[in-house]
Amino acid sequence: MDGTRKDVEQYKDCHLGKEPPRAVIAHKDADSQRIYKAITQVPDSDLFSSDAFGGKYLIFSDSASGLVELPKITGSVLYLKQDYYEAMHALKVGSPPAPALDRKIQWCVISHAEHQKCDSLQIPRLECRRAESVEECIQKVMRREADAFAADGGQVYIAGKCGLVPVMVEQYIQQNCSYSGDNPAMNISVMCIEASSYHVVAVVRKGSGVTWSKLRGRKSCHTGLNRSAGWKVPDSVICGRTPNCTLYTFFSKGCAPGADPASNMCELCKGSGKAVGDESKCKASSAEIYYGFDGAFRCLAEKAGDVAFIKHTIVGDYTDGKGPEWAKQLKSDEFELICPGSPDETFKYSEFDKCKLASVPAHAVVTREDVRDDVVSILEAAQTSSDSMFKSVGERNLLFSDSTKCLQKYAKSLEEFLTKPYMDMIEKTYETGQGAPGIECVYDFLQ
């Protein structure tokens, strides 16, 4: 479409669009697993060959090599991706009208507490929309039922595979924020040349006897399924490509909000604290007390688990009288770090440079390409006029990490933001088949 010609083998650089592969369609209430099992009982050589019937592409494509079972939540828009869906829709009803110049941005929140904070900020042209999880936020943004949300690296990876982009990055070092004039309260960010990052650490209680060499079979506390610090990094470091190794089998039980409620990775979760009938237990939102950085640390501090996989600043932020009410009595010297490089040693919580599992990308604001400029301009203006965007009341890390000093505009690619080593680590953990996302933009994952 740029007026050039290319060799036929260069189709990836010279095409009119990407079309998803054929899919088996069923009623939304159908037993999809039963259908998948029934179809895949037929040998591939019979299923994908039409030669014996004198035709081509009979029922399935002759070039297919297998079928992949999709997550139950995969609807037509999610499968086709927004651009393709809208292109087909436009053929029938015409192109949609251009968006208004003063259009509002819908921010996706994942808990009642986040919704309250979002409303209280009263950011002009920003409205708040509720979802039950980050994965549901991804779907809402793809369907244009929402426009943006903040997520950690593991969630940014999934969103990127669904065609969404990171446009602003949390910056945790004040000196790296630029300001308007000489007023440091005016956090107007310039272009982020190199994305901020943080360290992932494994924290234990001092005197517990837990070291890296004695970790197997212990009880674990995770920020959430598929999150960077809480799941992707420990999964990669502990299991890597080791056959039959998963965090589910390595630890005796744990709390990884977002995991299968029937699995051992939800056994330690506390929910909202109700005695019975608690629907919040193991939910991937702040409705679960042990969700997120603070939740995983609380899980360890309350002695539900033996080890917590969290951000390197959490122990310092939540102890010695600086944390919320539940942490008021905690002392920083009650906690230590463990790491595979020194399997029989422990380190002070402040020695994360000596004892860390990995350095990972900071949390980022994710949106669609078509609303990138609107999202950035609204957030840049908001952080110049509000001193509470990065403060949470009652709970921690609502909407953004509380340790954020400013948001910085980011215009590079998803791959440059996440970095190749980090993406390799994520993809390596998916090879085990454990912790795979409940949402997949499947043909991107298959390529």
Side-chain angles (χ1 to χ4, degrees):
M1 290 185 286
D2 62 2
T4 64
R5 293 171 178 258
K6 285 183 170 60
D7 187 274
V8 292
E9 296 298 328
Q10 295 178 281
Y11 55 85
K12 288 187 178 181
D13 299 317
C14 186
H15 61 79
L16 306 184
K18 290 164 64 177
E19 182 175 351
R22 291 185 177 190
V24 176
I25 300 173
H27 190 275
K28 65 179 181 179
D29 296 327
D31 187 341
S32 58
Q33 285 188 326
R34 185 180 178 188
I35 293 172
Y36 176 75
K37 288 179 180 178
I39 295 176
T40 53
Q41 285 178 352
V42 181
D44 288 349
S45 58
D46 295 334
L47 203 60
F48 306 121
S49 176
S50 304
D51 292 343
F53 305 95
K56 285 287 186 183
Y57 294 89
L58 301 178
I59 303 181
F60 298 102
S61 302
D62 291 2
S63 56
S65 59
L67 296 175
V68 175
E69 186 178 9
L70 297 177
K72 283 185 174 294
I73 62 172
T74 308
S76 58
V77 178
L78 192 59
Y79 179 71
L80 297 173
K81 291 182 65 171
Q82 192 71 35
D83 290 345
Y84 186 88
Y85 177 85
E86 289 188 349
M88 296 301 100
H89 187 66
L91 290 176
K92 182 177 181 180
V93 300
S95 300
L101 294 178
D102 60 346
R103 60 162 294 170
K104 292 184 177 181
I105 290 297
Q106 313 290 325
W107 190 271
C108 192
V109 301
I110 60 170
S111 70
H112 177 66
E114 282 203 344
H115 206 154
Q116 284 185 311
K117 177 182 176 179
C118 184
D119 286 337
S120 71
L121 292 176
Q122 297 184 325
I123 298 174
R125 293 176 54 206
L126 189 142
E127 296 180 344
C128 313
R129 292 289 178 265
R130 177 76 180 271
E132 295 301 314
S133 66
V134 171
E135 290 184 351
E136 187 177 336
C137 281
I138 293 174
Q139 296 178 68
K140 284 184 174 294
V141 173
M142 291 178 66
R143 294 195 297 255
R144 282 172 163 69
E145 295 170 4
D147 295 305
F149 58 94
D152 90 327
Q155 296 159 336
V156 171
Y157 175 86
I158 297 171
K161 288 296 184 180
C162 294
L164 306 184
V165 290
V167 296
M168 298 197 84
V169 183
E170 292 182 349
Q171 175 56 254
Y172 308 124
I173 301 174
Q174 189 73 60
Q175 294 88 330
N176 290 349
C177 293
S178 62
Y179 307 107
S180 174
D182 297 322
N183 183 0
M186 301 289 281
N187 290 346
I188 299 181
S189 60
V190 294
M191 187 74 70
C192 180
I193 303 301
E194 184 175 347
S196 182
S197 63
Y198 63 89
H199 307 303
V200 178
V201 293
V203 183
V204 299
R205 294 185 300 276
K206 188 173 183 178
S208 65
V210 179
T211 61
W212 194 267
S213 63
K214 298 177 182 178
L215 204 53
R216 183 182 288 274
R218 299 284 185 167
K219 295 179 289 186
S220 56
C221 304
H222 307 265
T223 58
L225 191 72
N226 286 321
R227 291 188 59 164
S228 293
W231 193 265
K232 307 310 295 181
V233 169
D235 190 14
S236 176
V237 174
I238 291 172
C239 289
R241 288 193 171 94
T242 303
N244 303 317
C245 175
T246 71
L247 298 185
Y248 292 88
T249 57
F250 186 85
F251 294 107
S252 60
K253 59 181 69 174
C255 179
D260 183 347
S263 75
N264 66 328
M265 277 297 148
C266 283
E267 282 193 54
L268 299 183
C269 292
K270 199 169 183 177
S272 62
K274 292 181 181 177
V276 292
D278 191 352
E279 295 181 355
S280 299
K281 184 173 181 179
C282 211
K283 266 197 167 184
S285 76
S286 60
E288 163 58 60
I289 291 175
Y290 288 165
Y291 175 72
F293 290 131
D294 54 333
F297 182 55
R298 184 173 181 176
C299 169
L300 173 70
E302 293 181 346
K303 300 184 178 179
D306 301 313
V307 60
F309 299 99
I310 52 179
K311 183 180 177 181
H312 71 283
T313 60
I314 297 301
V315 174
D317 289 344
Y318 282 74
T319 55
D320 303 328
K322 290 180 285 186
E325 193 60 39
W326 63 264
K328 289 297 184 186
Q329 303 304 314
L330 297 177
K331 304 297 181 185
S332 58
D333 59 8
E334 295 174 349
F335 301 94
E336 297 178 314
L337 306 182
I338 61 173
C339 49
S342 302
D344 297 310
E345 295 182 60
T346 60
F347 293 78
K348 293 180 180 179
Y349 82 93
S350 58
E351 295 183 301
F352 49 82
D353 277 333
K354 294 182 183 178
C355 187
K356 61 185 177 185
L357 306 187
S359 296
V360 299
H363 292 194
V365 175
V366 175
T367 185
R368 297 185 310 277
E369 190 66 56
D370 64 291
V371 290
R372 171 196 287 269
D373 292 344
D374 288 322
V375 170
V376 170
S377 65
I378 287 173
L379 292 179
E380 284 190 327
Q383 66 181 352
T384 68
S385 58
S386 173
D387 60 357
S388 55
M389 274 183 68
F390 311 123
K391 295 179 182 178
S392 302
V393 177
E395 296 184 23
R396 300 280 288 183
N397 304 310
L398 299 176
L399 302 183
F400 306 101
S401 301
D402 290 352
S403 55
T404 303
K405 304 305 178 186
C406 67
L407 295 174
Q408 293 183 309
K409 182 179 178 181
Y410 193 81
K412 293 186 178 181
S413 67
L414 175 77
E415 291 74 15
E416 288 175 290
F417 170 71
L418 294 176
T419 74
K420 189 177 188 303
Y422 181 72
M423 292 185 68
D424 288 345
M425 181 195 70
I426 288 180
E427 288 162 3
K428 183 165 58 178
T429 63
Y430 283 136
E431 290 176 9
T432 67
Q434 293 291 340
I439 171 177
E440 291 184 20
C441 297
V442 71
Y443 57 91
D444 271 354
F445 273 92
L446 291 177
Q447 288 178 18

